[in-house]
Amino acid sequence: STFAGMALLARSMTGDAKPGSPYATLAMILFVGVTALSMLAAGLGLGAMDIANESGVSDAVIVGIVGDGIFGPMFVFWGIANLLIGGAMIIQKNLHQIVSYLFVGWGLFMIIISAIEAADIPDAVGLVLWAGLNLTMVAAGILTLRSKEAS
Protein backbone atom coordinates (compact mmCIF):
# COMPACT_ATOMS: atom_id res chain seq x y z
CA SER A 1 0.00 0.00 0.00
CA THR A 2 1.08 3.55 -0.63
CA PHE A 3 0.46 4.50 2.98
CA ALA A 4 2.50 1.59 4.34
CA GLY A 5 5.39 2.60 2.07
CA MET A 6 5.19 6.17 3.30
CA ALA A 7 5.08 4.95 6.92
CA LEU A 8 8.24 2.93 6.30
CA LEU A 9 9.94 5.90 4.65
CA ALA A 10 9.05 8.03 7.68
CA ARG A 11 10.34 5.29 9.98
CA SER A 12 13.68 5.27 8.17
CA MET A 13 13.97 8.99 8.90
CA THR A 14 13.61 8.59 12.68
CA GLY A 15 16.44 8.25 15.16
CA ASP A 16 18.03 9.97 18.13
CA ALA A 17 20.70 11.82 16.18
CA LYS A 18 18.57 12.73 13.16
CA PRO A 19 17.22 16.28 12.95
CA GLY A 20 13.54 16.40 12.12
CA SER A 21 13.01 12.99 13.70
CA PRO A 22 9.94 14.11 15.71
CA TYR A 23 8.24 15.23 12.47
CA ALA A 24 9.06 11.92 10.80
CA THR A 25 7.76 10.00 13.84
CA LEU A 26 4.47 11.89 13.79
CA ALA A 27 4.19 11.35 10.03
CA MET A 28 4.79 7.63 10.54
CA ILE A 29 2.01 7.44 13.14
CA LEU A 30 -0.38 9.34 10.88
CA PHE A 31 0.44 7.17 7.84
CA VAL A 32 -0.31 4.06 9.91
CA GLY A 33 -3.60 5.67 10.98
CA VAL A 34 -4.45 6.62 7.39
CA THR A 35 -3.72 3.03 6.36
CA ALA A 36 -6.16 1.78 8.99
CA LEU A 37 -8.81 4.33 8.01
CA SER A 38 -8.58 3.46 4.32
CA MET A 39 -8.82 -0.26 5.06
CA LEU A 40 -11.81 0.30 7.34
CA ALA A 41 -13.60 2.52 4.82
CA ALA A 42 -12.94 0.05 1.98
CA GLY A 43 -14.13 -2.83 4.15
CA LEU A 44 -17.33 -1.02 5.03
CA GLY A 45 -17.92 -0.26 1.34
CA LEU A 46 -17.53 -3.92 0.42
CA GLY A 47 -19.62 -4.92 3.42
CA ALA A 48 -22.38 -2.56 2.30
CA MET A 49 -22.56 -4.39 -1.03
CA ASP A 50 -22.84 -7.73 0.74
CA ILE A 51 -25.53 -6.40 3.06
CA ALA A 52 -27.47 -5.05 0.05
CA ASN A 53 -27.56 -8.57 -1.40
CA GLU A 54 -28.54 -10.21 1.88
CA SER A 55 -30.69 -7.77 3.85
CA GLY A 56 -31.72 -5.06 1.46
CA VAL A 57 -30.62 -1.67 0.34
CA SER A 58 -31.83 0.29 3.38
CA ASP A 59 -29.42 -1.52 5.72
CA ALA A 60 -26.60 -1.22 3.19
CA VAL A 61 -27.11 2.53 2.92
CA ILE A 62 -26.49 2.94 6.64
CA VAL A 63 -23.23 0.98 6.43
CA GLY A 64 -22.25 2.97 3.32
CA ILE A 65 -22.86 6.27 5.12
CA VAL A 66 -20.65 5.16 8.01
CA GLY A 67 -17.92 4.18 5.52
CA ASP A 68 -18.17 7.56 3.81
CA GLY A 69 -17.96 9.26 7.20
CA ILE A 70 -14.72 7.42 7.94
CA PHE A 71 -13.28 8.03 4.47
CA GLY A 72 -13.84 11.81 4.49
CA PRO A 73 -11.39 12.91 7.19
CA MET A 74 -8.71 10.58 5.86
CA PHE A 75 -7.54 13.27 3.43
CA VAL A 76 -6.95 15.76 6.25
CA PHE A 77 -4.72 13.29 8.11
CA TRP A 78 -3.01 12.23 4.88
CA GLY A 79 -2.29 15.89 4.12
CA ILE A 80 -0.90 16.51 7.61
CA ALA A 81 1.29 13.40 7.28
CA ASN A 82 2.62 14.62 3.91
CA LEU A 83 3.30 18.03 5.42
CA LEU A 84 5.20 16.46 8.33
CA ILE A 85 7.27 14.08 6.24
CA GLY A 86 8.08 16.88 3.81
CA GLY A 87 9.18 19.04 6.74
CA ALA A 88 11.37 16.23 8.07
CA MET A 89 12.93 15.81 4.61
CA ILE A 90 13.65 19.54 4.42
CA ILE A 91 15.32 19.50 7.85
CA GLN A 92 17.30 16.31 7.20
CA LYS A 93 18.20 17.18 3.60
CA ASN A 94 18.26 13.44 2.84
CA LEU A 95 16.37 13.69 -0.47
CA HIS A 96 16.35 16.31 -3.18
CA GLN A 97 14.83 19.49 -1.80
CA ILE A 98 12.33 19.75 -4.66
CA VAL A 99 10.79 16.42 -3.59
CA SER A 100 10.70 17.62 0.02
CA TYR A 101 8.92 20.85 -0.89
CA LEU A 102 6.52 18.95 -3.16
CA PHE A 103 5.43 16.82 -0.19
CA VAL A 104 4.86 19.99 1.83
CA GLY A 105 2.94 21.54 -1.07
CA TRP A 106 0.77 18.49 -1.69
CA GLY A 107 0.08 18.24 2.05
CA LEU A 108 -1.04 21.87 2.23
CA PHE A 109 -3.09 21.41 -0.93
CA MET A 110 -4.85 18.35 0.56
CA ILE A 111 -5.62 20.17 3.80
CA ILE A 112 -6.97 23.23 1.97
CA ILE A 113 -9.09 21.11 -0.39
CA SER A 114 -10.48 19.19 2.59
CA ALA A 115 -11.30 22.42 4.41
CA ILE A 116 -13.27 23.85 1.47
CA GLU A 117 -15.00 20.59 0.58
CA ALA A 118 -18.33 22.39 0.59
CA ALA A 119 -17.21 24.18 -2.57
CA ASP A 120 -17.70 22.35 -5.83
CA ILE A 121 -14.15 21.29 -6.70
CA PRO A 122 -13.75 19.91 -10.23
CA ASP A 123 -12.63 16.32 -10.66
CA ALA A 124 -9.62 17.58 -12.59
CA VAL A 125 -8.24 19.09 -9.37
CA GLY A 126 -8.46 15.70 -7.68
CA LEU A 127 -6.78 14.08 -10.66
CA VAL A 128 -3.91 16.58 -10.54
CA LEU A 129 -3.54 15.95 -6.80
CA TRP A 130 -3.56 12.18 -7.26
CA ALA A 131 -1.11 12.18 -10.18
CA GLY A 132 1.21 14.76 -8.65
CA LEU A 133 1.36 13.06 -5.27
CA ASN A 134 1.96 9.65 -6.84
CA LEU A 135 4.76 11.01 -9.03
CA THR A 136 6.30 12.67 -5.97
CA MET A 137 6.15 9.38 -4.04
CA VAL A 138 7.76 7.53 -6.97
CA ALA A 139 10.52 10.15 -7.12
CA ALA A 140 11.10 9.81 -3.37
CA GLY A 141 11.32 6.03 -3.74
CA ILE A 142 13.79 6.23 -6.62
CA LEU A 143 15.96 8.75 -4.79
CA THR A 144 15.89 6.62 -1.62
CA LEU A 145 16.92 3.50 -3.53
CA ARG A 146 19.69 5.36 -5.35
CA SER A 147 21.06 6.75 -2.09
CA LYS A 148 21.04 3.29 -0.51
CA GLU A 149 22.71 1.84 -3.61
CA ALA A 150 25.47 4.47 -3.49
CA SER A 151 26.31 3.77 0.16
Side-chain angles (χ1 to χ4, degrees), residues 2 4 10 28-29 33 42 55 58 70 74 84 89 106 127 133 139-140 149:
T2 301
M28 179 183 64
I29 292 167
S55 304
S58 62
I70 291 170
M74 184 182 82
L84 288 169
M89 287 177 188
W106 293 125
L127 180 64
L133 187 55
E149 190 176 277

Side-chain angles (χ1 to χ4, degrees), residues 44-66:
L44 285 170
L46 293 172
M49 289 188 280
D50 289 341
I51 291 171
N53 288 333
E54 295 172 8
S55 304
V57 176
S58 62
D59 292 339
V61 167
I62 294 169
V63 174
I65 290 171
V66 171

